[in-house]
Amino acid sequence: QAYNCLIHFYKRQGMLPIATTLVPVNSGNIDRVKVVLASVLPVSYPPSFYRDMVQGKVSACVATIKDRTVGCVAWTCEAGLVHVLALGVLATHRERGVATMLLERCLEGSTGAYLYVQTENTEAVQFYSKREFKVTQTVEGYYKRVTCTNAYKMELVR
């Protein structure tokens, strides 16, 4: 009976627990990565960004649920400090822990992290703030060819 109550709670919240798998980005899934990032992020990335993922110059992994790519994270790491370059999850799969899982994956073994987020992207700012990232700087003109060009630099110290 407790199990039934739990299922009803999840159904009410719209978050049935579903097995999510994280796999590295490769030439076989890079096209799905492009679709996810283009559909959820307000900025676009040049072909070299995706090429660097496939070649391993930029670390990246995708989240899949039932063989469907639902999210992606890309990052670099230097001297234990992670620079989160992109993190996105399809709107239909948000609030299910996928973004947190992706973020935790790129932070594994790090001493800290930083990222840039558009100042108007309150959803992202709130997401990172809940995970102990702090706004440390406002950078005017960080983004190009978008309506909101200003960014917050957010940092996590471990």
Side-chain angles (χ1 to χ4, degrees), residues 5 26 38-39 43-44 50 53-55 66 69 79 82 84 86-87 92 100 113 121 126 132 135-136 138-139 142 155:
C5 292
N26 57 50
S39 64
V43 296
S44 59
Y50 298 104
M53 281 188 206
V54 172
Q55 294 174 351
K66 296 182 180 178
T69 299
V82 169
V84 181
L87 173 62
T92 54
T100 299
N121 190 344
Q126 289 173 355
E132 300 182 16
V135 174
T136 58
T138 301
V139 183
Y142 181 82
E155 297 183 60

Side-chain angles (χ1 to χ4, degrees), residues 41 43 45 72-77 81-88 99-100 102-104 106-107 110 112-119 121-139 142-143 150-157:
L41 297 181
V43 296
Y45 295 96
C72 174
V73 65
W75 72 96
T76 58
C77 186
L81 186 63
V82 169
H83 179 185
V84 181
L85 302 171
L87 173 62
T100 299
L102 288 165
L103 182 62
E104 287 173 355
C106 76
L107 295 178
S110 70
Y114 69 99
L115 55 90
Y116 295 88
V117 61
Q118 285 181 311
T119 55
N121 190 344
T122 55
E123 185 178 2
V125 171
Q126 289 173 355
F127 171 81
Y128 292 114
S129 294
K130 286 179 184 175
R131 285 144 188 91
E132 300 182 16
F133 280 78
K134 308 281 185 239
V135 174
T136 58
Q137 183 181 0
T138 301
V139 183
Y142 181 82
Y143 293 103
N150 298 334
Y152 289 131
K153 181 178 184 181
M154 299 186 75
E155 297 183 60
L156 171 69
V157 179

Side-chain angles (χ1 to χ4, degrees), residues 25-70:
V25 170
N26 57 50
S27 58
N29 61 21
I30 193 67
D31 288 336
R32 288 176 280 173
V33 169
K34 291 177 186 177
V35 170
V36 168
L37 293 182
S39 64
V40 301
L41 297 181
V43 296
S44 59
Y45 295 96
S48 60
F49 179 71
Y50 298 104
R51 190 169 43 251
D52 287 349
M53 281 188 206
V54 172
Q55 294 174 351
K57 294 176 185 173
V58 169
S59 300
C61 66
V62 296
T64 60
I65 296 175
K66 296 182 180 178
D67 294 325
R68 180 168 185 230
T69 299
V70 299

